[in-house]
Amino acid sequence: MACLGQTYGNASSIHHFGQAAKQRLEAARRQVAALINASATEIVFTSGGTEADNLAIFGVTRAAAGPRKHMITCAIEHPAVLMPFKQLGEEGVDVTCLRVGGNGIVNPDDVQRAIRPDTVLVSIMHANNELGTIQPVAEIARIAHDAGAVLHVDGVQALGKTPVDVQALGADLYTMSGHKLYAPKGVGALYVRKGTRMFPIAYGGHHERDRRPGTENVPGIAAFGAAAELAGRRLGEETERLGMLRDRLENTVLDRIPGTGINGSRWNRVANTSNIYFDGIDGEAMVIALDLRGFAVSTGAACSSGALSPSHVLKAIGLTDDRARASMRFSLGRANTVEQVDALIEAIGASVAHLRRISVHA
Ligand SMILES: Cc1ncc(COP(=O)(O)O)c(C=O)c1O
């Protein structure tokens, strides 16, 4: 709020008003860097996770010397990664999109098999947004670095949910988004390891050490910094609490409702995300039924031109269209309580019973 009022200056201005804003900006840079064990100078603020992903992927491609370029990603990435690679593919870059197993985890051996002398970039997410599954980033980093490639990690769903240490992970580029940490929407950052060759993707002023031009969103960035500090302080206890709520939700639902199961690995995942299938149920109908009962959940599926296409992540882990459409993604957060989870369990039970009943009569 202070940055919307008395500290409203432009962080690039020399006068004291601007310098006060600059101090906020740099404090936030240190806070975000601290959360991932980076140096402040390695943090580039962006408008969010999507921009950071695009900056990493197009920025490394542009900086890569030589005409032949090969890149590796995987089938369960967020569209903010898949779409830049699709575009690069259309522009003549050779892109390998790795498959994943039913557990929703990339096999490092597959990365090893796909990597080539001309591989410039490997981009694998840290935690999957629909399943919560955590990828073996450190192993993949070793494979990428042995081949001289840069590793980009989309960490949007991992930051604040699991410890992130870019040194231990070996990531050269790490994408973050403020709103996943309870900062306002429209702010994010890209960690760029010192020495990583990356060109900007937009041109203008000299902001962010010439890596991302444009007057900085100081209120958003200051909030992101504060949110990062809070997330770091609460990480251990919050992870444990959310894991208990998630297990309570899953165990009770699986126990009480036949034809249900967990999508992806139950073990290697962030604590707040649960993806459950309810055979015979239409996920969208379930979203509406739960919304009417006061619960905001999602299917993870995208709706294109009126036709509901099942989630690309659930398809990639081998689910049939029917089961993918019958799956729901539950995300728990800081404000959720045991009482709410118990009420959700009741609401799920009632909604499933109702939807299965009407589908029998349909
Ligand atoms: C894994 C992942 N990457 C990227 C993004 C995009 O981030 P933003 O919404 O900040 O652009 C999201 C958003 O949910 C995400 O889950």
Side-chain angles (χ1 to χ4, degrees):
M1 292 305 289
C3 294
L4 292 168
Q6 73 264 31
T7 318
Y8 186 73
N10 184 329
S12 299
S13 299
I14 296 166
H15 49 63
H16 81 278
F17 202 41
Q19 290 306 299
K22 173 96 176 156
Q23 277 178 18
R24 288 280 187 171
L25 183 65
E26 295 313 318
R29 205 183 300 282
R30 288 190 294 275
Q31 286 168 313
V32 171
L35 186 60
I36 62 168
N37 192 23
S39 305
T41 52
E42 295 173 311
I43 303 299
V44 179
F45 286 115
T46 65
S47 63
T50 300
E51 187 193 331
D53 282 338
N54 276 264
L55 176 57
I57 296 164
F58 286 106
V60 167
T61 312
R62 285 189 169 182
R68 287 188 62 214
K69 290 171 188 169
H70 174 240
M71 315 228 160
I72 300 173
T73 189
C74 78
I76 59 168
E77 294 291 321
H78 190 272
V81 166
L82 290 178
M83 290 300 144
F85 278 116
K86 182 166 181 277
Q87 180 59 31
L88 283 175
E90 282 164 16
E91 292 174 14
V93 173
D94 195 2
V95 180
T96 301
C97 188
L98 299 175
R99 296 151 73 106
V100 298
N103 58 3
I105 297 174
V106 178
N107 183 349
D109 292 343
D110 289 339
V111 181
Q112 185 70 67
R113 273 189 285 273
I115 207 145
R116 309 191 319 216
D118 64 339
T119 306
V120 175
L121 178 69
V122 177
S123 182
I124 299 289
M125 68 201 324
H126 196 178
N128 179 265
N129 46 307
E130 293 189 30
L131 306 168
T133 47
I134 296 178
Q135 308 302 320
V137 172
E139 267 183 82
I140 294 170
R142 275 190 292 277
I143 297 164
H145 293 159
D146 283 351
V150 166
L151 176 67
H152 167 242
V153 177
D154 178 339
V156 168
Q157 293 287 343
L159 193 71
K161 317 242 166 58
T162 187
V164 176
D165 178 336
V166 286
Q167 313 308 333
L169 290 173
D172 302 302
L173 300 147
Y174 192 92
T175 293
M176 299 169 261
S177 177
H179 68 96
K180 301 292 190 243
L181 298 182
Y182 306 98
K185 291 155 197 74
V187 62
L190 180 66
Y191 157 76
V192 185
R193 181 183 296 280
K194 194 166 177 282
T196 304
R197 277 179 55 76
M198 184 192 83
F199 285 178
I201 55 169
Y203 292 83
H206 295 293
H207 311 81
E208 300 295 296
R209 299 174 152 247
D210 283 329
R211 293 171 296 192
R212 198 272 189 181
T215 302
E216 298 89 348
N217 166 15
V218 178
I221 292 171
F224 183 18
E229 191 172 320
L230 282 175
R233 230 185 279 155
R234 295 178 180 173
L235 187 61
E237 99 194 51
E238 186 59 1
T239 303
E240 200 176 314
R241 194 185 73 86
L242 289 178
M244 272 161 45
L245 292 184
R246 192 255 336 257
D247 290 347
R248 187 181 181 99
L249 170 68
E250 289 183 344
N251 292 339
T252 321
V253 165
L254 265 54
D255 204 38
R256 284 195 197 162
I257 308 177
T260 56
I262 311 293
N263 293 320
S265 168
R266 265 194 102 149
W267 313 117
N268 230 337
R269 53 181 177 154
V270 288
N272 74 313
T273 308
S274 175
N275 200 309
I276 306 178
Y277 64 80
F278 298 86
D279 281 343
I281 296 289
D282 173 39
E284 293 299 303
M286 181 90 160
V287 169
I288 294 164
L290 288 175
D291 187 35
L292 291 172
R293 293 179 153 93
F295 296 94
V297 299
S298 72
T299 53
C303 205
S304 54
S305 61
L308 188 67
S309 35
S311 146
H312 74 281
V313 173
L314 298 182
K315 292 287 292 168
I317 65 167
L319 266 61
T320 60
D321 279 11
D322 280 351
R323 188 164 269 183
R325 284 203 180 89
S327 295
M328 310 283 309
R329 170 185 164 189
F330 300 90
S331 302
L332 298 164
R334 193 178 285 166
N336 293 135
T337 61
V338 177
E339 292 72 28
Q340 288 174 337
V341 168
D342 287 346
L344 172 62
I345 293 166
E346 294 305 320
I348 292 171
S351 302
V352 170
H354 174 67
L355 292 170
R356 281 187 177 155
R357 207 164 41 238
I358 57 175
S359 79
V360 167
H361 295 304

